Amino acid sequence: MGSSKIKSHAKLNVALNITGKNSSLHKIETIIVFVSLHDEIFIDKINSNKHKVSFTGKFSRNIGKNNTVSKLLDILDKKKLLNNKKFKVKIKKKIPSKAGLGGGSMNASNVLNYFLKKKIVKISQKEVIKISKLVGSDVILGLNQTNSVLSRNNEVKRFNNCKKFYSLIIKPNFGCSTREIYSKVKKFNKPKFNNPNSKMFNLDYLKKMENSLEPIVLSKYGKLRRIKSFLENFSKPSFVRMTGSGSALVAYFQSKYMCENAKKIIHKKYKNYWCILSKTI
């Protein structure tokens, strides 16, 4: 088998509600889009007694041996699903970590999806879901990189051919700990996404939604609060919202022209912050 290259796209939580909590995890419902920003994953079958997972690129620093892809491979080995085959997985990181963009989870999703499509791993959909959950709660979302609604009963509904829009993603020079942010959740929302439909991906609808984690993060980080206010007042977006548990903020636009102008404004104001224009896929 020759080397294979796959794209692992960033996900944006355009809306997110926390509806409750079980013994260990919060129950959430969320509207997800995937954008053109992506990591690159290179996979090779190798003659070795162990897998080799490595990271390169701007955002590869501080990714340890205990990462989502290594965890996935360990699980597949323990379940004897790789038939003793070993793989070299090299990931060029273009998606920052601790940003709410799902970079690590989507990496694991795409490696698992690759094994399934190539029939290297042959399992039922039920087992796919089970393995995904063992790796991480977000992994199931990346198995199909298209507009998705995760309802509170943990069902995912996918929607194709939705209207595309543009996003300006800005991340300051710090990240947010998902565990820490969720630990500060004190109240829950009533479910809003029980009947998913394609209209949920219209910017006019999304503008009325929220991210339940955002007030927690903005109260902790005044810097993010100021960035959001600046984006709302000077770049004329449809709306601005944090994705996931942060620290990335996203301004959403109908047109590429307006998004490009906003990027210029942000670069002048926040020269040292990472910022990228991306489009929904």
Side-chain angles (χ1 to χ4, degrees):
M1 185 179 76
S3 178
S4 297
K5 175 183 173 182
I6 53 178
K7 292 180 179 180
S8 179
H9 290 272
K11 69 146 182 71
L12 301 180
N13 297 88
V14 200
L16 188 153
N17 296 317
I18 301 166
T19 60
K21 188 180 181 182
N22 57 28
S23 57
S24 58
L25 292 172
H26 286 84
K27 297 177 182 178
I28 71 164
E29 56 175 14
T30 183
I31 299 175
I32 296 281
V33 297
F34 290 87
V35 291
S36 51
L37 169 67
H38 63 275
D39 292 335
E40 294 176 348
I41 304 178
F42 302 86
I43 303 177
D44 287 278
K45 184 183 171 187
I46 55 174
N47 291 317
S48 176
N49 59 0
K50 61 180 181 179
H51 302 291
K52 296 179 181 178
V53 179
S54 63
F55 297 86
T56 63
K58 183 176 181 180
F59 298 109
S60 61
R61 192 181 299 176
N62 299 325
I63 299 177
K65 290 183 178 180
N66 186 24
N67 56 75
T68 55
V69 174
S70 295
K71 189 175 180 180
L72 169 66
L73 292 170
D74 286 344
I75 291 167
L76 295 176
D77 277 345
K78 284 175 184 175
K79 291 180 175 288
K80 301 188 182 335
L81 294 171
L82 291 174
N83 298 314
N84 294 318
K85 295 173 185 173
K86 301 299 176 184
F87 295 88
K88 179 172 73 173
V89 182
K90 185 177 179 180
I91 304 172
K92 186 176 181 180
K93 293 297 294 181
K94 298 179 181 179
I95 303 170
S97 59
K98 293 189 174 182
L101 298 169
S105 295
M106 298 308 105
N107 291 164
S109 300
N110 282 281
V111 172
L112 177 56
N113 210 25
Y114 171 82
F115 288 147
L116 293 168
K117 285 183 175 179
K118 293 292 184 179
K119 295 186 170 24
I120 295 165
V121 171
K122 299 175 183 177
I123 52 176
S124 67
Q125 186 61 26
K126 189 175 180 180
E127 186 69 10
V128 170
I129 293 169
K130 185 178 176 181
I131 289 171
S132 297
K133 288 180 179 177
L134 288 173
V135 180
S137 57
D138 274 358
V139 172
I140 191 173
L141 296 170
L143 293 173
N144 187 338
Q145 298 179 104
T146 189
N147 294 12
S148 306
V149 178
L150 173 70
S151 55
R152 64 170 179 156
N153 57 7
N154 230 26
E155 289 184 1
V156 183
K157 191 159 184 181
R158 317 282 184 179
F159 296 90
N160 296 310
N161 304 317
C162 296
K163 188 176 180 181
K164 310 294 183 189
F165 48 82
Y166 295 87
S167 61
L168 183 66
I169 308 169
I170 179 168
K171 182 188 176 295
N173 47 15
F174 62 87
C176 292
S177 163
T178 299
R179 185 186 296 271
E180 180 188 352
I181 300 305
Y182 271 97
S183 72
K184 297 182 184 299
V185 173
K186 303 299 181 188
K187 61 180 182 177
F188 305 124
N189 302 100
K190 289 183 178 180
K192 297 177 183 177
F193 309 147
N194 285 337
N195 299 301
N197 61 77
S198 60
K199 291 179 182 178
M200 288 180 168
F201 296 93
N202 293 337
L203 287 180
D204 288 339
Y205 173 86
L206 292 168
K207 186 176 183 178
K208 301 170 187 173
M209 298 299 106
E210 60 183 14
N211 178 345
S212 297
L213 297 173
E214 188 175 295
I216 296 169
V217 177
L218 296 189
S219 67
K220 179 177 173 64
Y221 298 104
K223 196 176 282 187
L224 279 177
R225 198 164 57 245
R226 291 189 289 275
I227 295 170
K228 182 179 181 183
S229 178
F230 183 82
L231 280 166
E232 288 173 333
N233 292 321
F234 293 96
S235 62
K236 298 179 181 177
S238 293
F239 61 95
V240 179
R241 189 164 297 144
M242 189 180 78
T243 177
S245 55
S247 61
L249 288 167
V250 187
Y252 294 91
F253 297 87
Q254 299 277 9
S255 77
K256 184 178 181 181
Y257 174 78
M258 291 182 71
C259 198
E260 286 174 337
N261 279 347
K263 185 179 179 183
K264 291 174 186 175
I265 292 168
I266 286 295
H267 270 312
K268 286 181 182 178
K269 177 73 174 177
Y270 299 102
K271 293 178 182 176
N272 298 323
Y273 291 176
W274 178 81
C275 179
I276 193 167
L277 184 155
S278 211
K279 185 182 181 182
T280 53
I281 60 172

